[in-house]
Amino acid sequence: MSLEVLKQLDGPIVLVGAGKMGGALLEGWLGLGIEPARLVVLDPNLNPEAAKALADKGVSANPAYDAIPHAAVLILAVKPQVAPAVIASIRGIVGPKSVVVSIMAGRTIGFMQEALPRGAAVVRTIPNTPAAIGKGITVAVANAAVSPEARAATSALLGTVGPVEWVESESLIDAATAVSGSGPAYVFLLAEALAKAGAAAGLPADLADRLARATVSGAGALLEQSGIDPAILRQNVTSPGGTTAAALAVLMDEAKGFGPLLTQAVAEATHRSRELAG
């Protein structure tokens, strides 16, 4: 179904920025079966070998801007600090039927509308780093100019690296950034802290690291594949009076446990996201 939606697009799919996130998207599109000839990659940092590899696949890499037709979808996967200069250079690719999809942190729809041609259809998104292995999740919000067809095409393109969740209010993007955008760092910190705690309890450091990694990744896979409520999964591991219960008594302390700490952390990240967006 996703591929059928994309086959109906009138114009190329243009990717601006082929770094980790952009590169993951590109691989996902090729894996989905999108015709390489419909793809255009623009990235001044693309080395000759990478450009040749794309060309060998049939993807147009760094063509002259005036040779690119109006994009059906244009995805901006560049660092937010270079956004003004990048958008100024690609304005001519944005036509009346184009949809511009930003995966830049901190750049609002208002900023995009000011920088792009008047009336441009804009989608602001927040993906996360597991998209690099096709296990990401993206939160997206559209302005009023985005048609249902453009929304479907955006979902199809971003969906190659994980599910897409649409929200109706841009005000929710900051909280989403704090949960899913920054969230992988919290999980990595958990693995890091668990390994250090295991070493402190007497395990060899390398063994503690392997146990922590496998435990975090395995629990995540169980959470994803089972569909069971996290609270139920936690209870299933916890025998009354057992070792897990002893640990959870510390982690679930109402005043200084994991819950209050994470609530505070997400609140701080949300606040910082709003500050960065201006």
Side-chain angles (χ1 to χ4, degrees), residues 61-242:
N62 287 333
Y65 284 12
D66 58 7
I68 304 172
H70 285 160
V73 183
L74 188 149
I75 293 190
L76 290 170
V78 298
K79 296 185 182 301
Q81 56 265 36
V82 302
V86 169
I87 293 175
S89 70
I90 54 88
R91 278 176 57 94
I93 306 171
V94 180
K97 295 183 179 179
S98 302
V99 58
V100 178
V101 181
S102 166
I103 64 172
M104 300 181 295
R107 291 299 187 179
T108 64
I109 286 178
F111 165 83
M112 299 292 293
Q113 290 176 160
E114 286 291 327
L116 290 164
R118 186 177 180 85
V122 177
V123 176
R124 179 185 176 190
T125 74
I126 295 295
N128 63 5
T129 54
I133 59 167
K135 288 289 185 179
I137 189 164
T138 301
V139 180
V141 62
N143 72 357
V146 176
S147 68
E149 293 77 16
R151 185 183 289 233
T154 301
S155 289
L157 290 169
L158 299 178
T160 59
V161 294
V164 180
E165 297 284 348
W166 289 88
V167 295
E168 296 306 314
S169 172
E170 190 176 8
S171 65
L172 297 176
I173 288 291
D174 298 306
T177 300
V179 173
S180 60
S182 301
Y186 315 156
V187 178
F188 301 149
L189 177 60
L190 171 61
E192 179 187 357
L194 186 57
K196 288 181 178 178
L203 289 171
D206 59 341
L207 176 58
D209 180 70
R210 292 195 300 274
L211 293 177
R213 286 172 178 265
T215 299
V216 170
S217 62
L222 177 60
L223 183 65
E224 178 186 24
Q225 295 175 26
S226 71
I228 299 172
D229 185 281
I232 300 299
L233 289 172
R234 170 179 53 78
Q235 292 164 11
N236 289 346
V237 183
T238 310
S239 301

Side-chain angles (χ1 to χ4, degrees), residues 2-55:
S2 295
L3 188 56
E4 291 304 313
V5 168
L6 297 174
K7 284 181 178 179
Q8 297 172 21
L9 295 177
D10 182 16
I13 298 164
V14 180
L15 175 66
V16 185
K20 290 183 179 179
M21 192 66 70
L25 285 168
L26 182 60
E27 288 302 314
W29 300 343
L30 293 170
L32 183 64
I34 298 175
E35 293 179 19
R38 302 197 64 194
L39 302 175
V40 177
V41 174
L42 299 175
D43 189 334
N45 297 317
L46 206 61
N47 62 51
E49 293 79 11
K52 183 178 184 303
L54 289 176

